[in-house]
Amino acid sequence: MTTRVWDYRAEYHQEREDILDAVETVFESGRLILGESVRGFEREFAAYHGVECCVGVDNGTNAVKLALQALGVEAGDEVITVSNTAAPTVVAIDAIGAVPVFVDVREDTYLMDTDLVEAAVTPRTKALLPVHLYGQCVDMAPLREIAERHGLVVLEDCAQAHGARHHGRLAGTMGDAAAFSFYPTKVLGAYGDGGAVITRDEEVDRRLRRLRYYGMEDRYYVVETPGHNSRLDEVQAEILRRKLTRLDRYTAGRRAIADRYAEALGDTSLVLPRTADGNEHVHYVYVVRHPRRDDILAALRHHGIELNVSYPWPVHTMSGFAHLGYAEGSLPVTEALAREIFSLPMYPSLSPDVQDEVVSALRTVLAEL
Ligand SMILES: *Cc1c(COP(=O)(O)O)cnc(C)c1O
């Protein structure tokens, strides 16, 4: 048997009645696009974060894209971010003609090294785009200071950090706006695609509502600035409303699994994830590091265990971003991580049996290296 790195079906079987009831609720409602469920989810997701505004969109990539546009980022503007991220962060910047500028990540958390950001600011810089990768937050105080000094906007990429906290504050409440993905594997996942942007700025909220709806005000047929069709689907919104009430429970499940890994692997040669001071981690991905990563993954395959790497190719080395001009070696920590990290199965309904199977195979493989 091959161990699956992610499987939503155990969770579905537990929640089946509620999920099917959500679908039925929308189908019976008489309104399939931008109805009560999207409005309800927006209200409840904003309230969860203690902010006024939430706009549901079709996926996390477009959440980043529309948020950048709503914050005033235009073609040619530079956006400082990291290369150690899911490619969509960078695809979204590129999609509006803005220019991604990469800084390296820290050796301890694998997150944006905020000490490198100020040196990357140029007269063309418009935005900082920290990515709260793997489930914990980037250190936000230095970023806010730099943004203030240089008149920049801050967009948080929260696609992997629903419910994470940084010195008590929720991910997504520390910048000018925040982009979320509800891709099924995420900490809050839909049964298909979905995304959202939250903000405290009502003008940004208004722009987002137009941008997701062709560039029109709801129910008026006039386009002033052409937008997109990037609406959150009504069925996904209703499912997300139900699942939002269980978000903290999902996170507790992830933390218990992380604790079990730490307990079972703490005495091995693997470098386990470290939580930065002041952070409450939600463990979207459980990333471990070892210089002989490729040998370990190959040996695990013989035990029927196929694991993921998040991410094996740094964005700045991808052929699609060659035009950005980053040579190999330009982001040494990011590049070393791409060679040395891998991820252990992590989702709330992961069974202890499957987790034990992975741990025991991994311990065997490490002992035989
Ligand atoms: C998943 C993810 C996205 C993109 O979200 P989609 O819903 O798949 O478009 C963006 N940024 C990060 C960091 C992600 O993990």
Side-chain angles (χ1 to χ4, degrees):
M1 189 197 81
T2 303
T3 302
R4 295 171 62 97
V5 292
W6 181 72
D7 192 337
Y8 67 89
R9 288 171 298 182
E11 184 186 286
Y12 174 58
H13 296 146
Q14 279 167 23
E15 303 181 356
R16 186 168 178 275
E17 267 181 52
D18 190 37
I19 300 298
L20 294 182
D21 182 65
V23 176
E24 174 77 359
T25 299
V26 172
F27 285 7
E28 285 288 355
S29 74
R31 178 131 188 215
L32 297 173
I33 301 287
L34 295 186
E36 263 318 300
S37 296
V38 168
R39 267 196 295 279
F41 175 70
E42 289 175 342
R43 217 165 36 234
E44 290 151 18
F45 200 61
Y48 178 88
H49 290 93
V51 301
E52 292 71 40
C53 309
C54 171
V55 179
V57 297
D58 50 351
N59 57 63
T61 309
N62 287 339
V64 175
K65 185 178 86 176
L66 269 58
L68 287 171
Q69 287 188 301
L71 291 169
V73 177
E74 296 177 349
D77 290 343
E78 291 177 355
V79 178
I80 298 175
T81 189
V82 287
S83 173
N84 186 40
T85 182
T89 308
V90 183
V91 169
I93 298 169
D94 183 76
I96 59 167
V99 181
V101 172
F102 300 119
V103 295
D104 213 347
V105 293
R106 293 174 54 98
E107 282 278 2
D108 51 357
T109 57
Y110 314 158
L111 301 175
M112 176 181 267
D113 187 341
T114 56
D115 292 339
L116 304 175
V117 171
E118 189 137 38
V121 174
T122 77
R124 288 185 304 282
T125 307
K126 180 72 202 210
L128 306 181
L129 207 177
V131 182
H132 302 318
L133 201 69
Y134 307 139
Q136 71 172 324
C137 292
V138 173
D139 191 7
M140 291 299 289
L143 292 186
R144 280 200 304 271
E145 275 172 38
I146 293 165
E148 199 146 308
R149 246 195 317 279
H150 298 275
L152 311 174
V153 294
V154 178
L155 173 64
E156 301 175 69
D157 183 337
C158 294
Q160 303 194 1
H162 316 64
R165 284 180 187 271
H166 181 60
H167 298 289
R169 298 183 64 178
L170 277 168
T173 64
M174 298 174 282
D176 296 291
F180 288 85
S181 164
F182 307 118
Y183 183 82
T185 62
K186 307 282 170 158
V187 178
L188 179 60
Y191 278 70
D193 278 310
V197 181
I198 64 171
T199 179
R200 293 194 168 84
D201 186 329
E202 286 177 13
E203 181 51 35
V204 171
D205 176 81
R206 263 193 300 278
R207 285 191 209 127
L208 285 164
R209 284 174 194 284
R210 286 196 293 263
L211 283 166
R212 77 163 173 195
Y213 193 71
Y214 318 117
M216 294 177 192
E217 296 283 347
D218 210 356
R219 282 177 287 119
Y220 296 92
Y221 295 94
V222 178
V223 171
E224 285 175 16
T225 308
H228 315 276
N229 178 356
S230 280
R231 299 178 291 243
L232 176 60
D233 180 76
E234 193 69 1
V235 173
Q236 300 305 339
E238 186 60 31
I239 292 173
L240 287 165
R241 293 179 81 175
R242 313 292 178 99
K243 291 190 69 177
L244 179 59
T245 65
R246 299 188 280 270
L247 174 57
D248 292 339
R249 204 166 82 211
Y250 299 140
T251 301
R254 288 177 180 274
R255 289 196 177 123
I257 291 163
D259 288 348
R260 280 187 99 227
Y261 277 134
E263 178 91 1
L265 297 167
D267 62 340
T268 67
S269 51
L270 291 172
V271 179
L272 301 182
R274 276 157 297 190
T275 304
D277 284 349
N279 272 354
E280 292 171 40
H281 207 307
V282 295
H283 297 289
Y284 171 58
V285 202
Y286 194 89
V287 173
V288 298
R289 181 175 185 179
H290 196 287
R292 294 188 57 194
R293 188 268 314 270
D294 289 343
D295 296 331
I296 295 169
L297 291 186
L300 282 171
R301 244 170 254 136
H302 289 293
H303 291 259
I305 294 171
E306 182 84 49
L307 296 184
N308 266 348
V309 176
S310 297
Y311 297 93
W313 300 285
V315 180
H316 70 282
T317 65
M318 293 179 180
S319 55
F321 293 108
H323 61 281
L324 298 175
Y326 287 81
E328 236 176 275
S330 56
L331 299 168
V333 181
T334 297
E335 291 168 34
L337 289 176
R339 289 188 297 268
E340 296 183 358
I341 58 174
F342 60 106
S343 315
L344 306 186
M346 170 57 83
Y347 51 97
S349 60
L350 177 68
S351 78
D353 289 351
V354 173
Q355 192 180 8
D356 288 345
E357 186 195 340
V358 172
V359 164
S360 102
L362 192 48
R363 291 192 66 95
T364 305
V365 163
L366 289 168
E368 288 169 357
L369 269 187

